[in-house]
Amino acid sequence: MAAMSHQIDQVLIPRRRIARRVRHLAAQITLDHQQSGAEITLVPILTGAMIFCADLMRRLSMRLKMGLLTVSSYPGSSVRSQGPALLAQQLGELTGRHVLIVDDILDSGGTLGLVQGLVAELKPASLRTCVLLRKQRALQRTVKADYVGFDIPDVFVAGYGLDYDNYYRNLPDIVTLRPMMAREAQQP
Ligand code: 5GP
Ligand code: MG
């Protein structure tokens, strides 16, 4: 783990800004779900959304249940998406419930597209999506998120649940990695 700090390039979003934004997102989510029975099921997409969801849910005071999904698109030390693969699911009963999918980052939309499709098939009463980060991409994205924490440039980020080779998830800030990795991430 000694190499860990050497690979960080810079702090993109410090923990205080994240905390402030999470509070605002929770307030918005609370408001939007007030009319719909005030009970929801949160579905964080593991592993990346773990920290974000843990902070977000503690700011929500309505009754809620959890469903879990594990999706991986960056196996091992890759910094380019290999396409999303569903690794595990423990969703519970979603039919007729108000579902909020929570993910760390919306990039190409492959992951959320897969998960939204999967959840929609279970006939929830409503389906919304919340992401902490959204990468700005030239490509037209068809997948939408109802709640977005921050729009960020198209760089590879880690920390606050997001990993590189399954490391860095415990960093409290969102950081960019060393230019060496950033260049690799931008290769076609
Ligand atoms: P998409 O399927 O939208 O292209 O990518 C979304 C998923 O890829 C996210 O759930 C996240 O796990 C992963 N991902 C996308 N960009 C990054 C990034 O910059 N850093 C990390 N650590 N993961 C990313
Ligand atoms: Mg993910």
Side-chain angles (χ1 to χ4, degrees):
M1 288 302 263
M4 195 158 153
S5 60
H6 299 149
Q7 297 183 329
I8 295 167
D9 185 19
Q10 58 184 9
V11 173
L12 188 67
I13 312 174
R15 62 199 81 177
R16 282 177 162 219
R17 262 187 85 200
I18 299 173
R20 203 180 319 131
R21 192 71 187 112
V22 168
R23 281 201 300 277
H24 291 152
L25 289 170
Q28 190 66 54
I29 289 165
T30 302
L31 208 67
D32 291 352
H33 287 83
Q34 251 154 18
Q35 292 94 334
S36 54
E39 182 166 337
I40 65 174
T41 300
L42 282 181
V43 178
I45 304 178
L46 302 179
T47 309
M50 188 176 78
I51 309 273
F52 174 41
C53 190
D55 282 347
L56 183 72
M57 68 190 284
R58 281 177 292 177
R59 293 271 167 196
L60 300 173
S61 53
M62 73 274 261
R63 278 165 62 82
L64 63 81
K65 291 187 177 186
M66 301 287 298
L68 302 177
L69 271 182
T70 305
V71 178
S72 172
S73 32
Y74 287 60
S77 59
S78 55
V79 291
R80 267 174 287 148
S81 177
Q82 312 291 306
L86 183 64
L87 301 186
Q89 59 170 307
Q90 193 182 315
L91 287 173
E93 181 68 48
L94 296 188
T95 307
R97 291 189 57 87
H98 297 283
V99 174
L100 179 66
I101 296 169
V102 180
D103 204 6
D104 50 3
I105 182 165
L106 171 57
D107 186 11
S108 70
T111 301
L112 278 179
L114 177 84
V115 172
Q116 286 173 348
L118 208 130
V119 173
E121 273 178 25
L122 301 172
K123 305 267 182 288
S126 71
L127 176 55
R128 291 187 174 97
T129 300
C130 176
V131 295
L132 179 65
L133 307 172
R134 179 171 61 189
K135 278 191 193 174
Q136 286 162 355
R137 281 246 201 168
L139 288 173
Q140 189 79 42
R141 237 193 258 99
T142 52
V143 174
K144 301 270 183 275
D146 303 278
Y147 309 97
V148 178
F150 302 94
D151 277 303
I152 63 163
D154 194 6
V155 290
F156 192 80
V157 293
Y160 197 71
L162 292 117
D163 73 309
Y164 168 70
D165 197 13
N166 213 8
Y167 288 115
Y168 300 112
R169 296 194 196 274
N170 53 326
L171 289 177
D173 307 304
I174 292 170
V175 302
T176 54
L177 298 184
R178 266 205 317 213
M180 195 182 77
M181 288 183 208
R183 267 204 304 279
E184 194 190 335
Q186 281 161 16
Q187 281 172 15

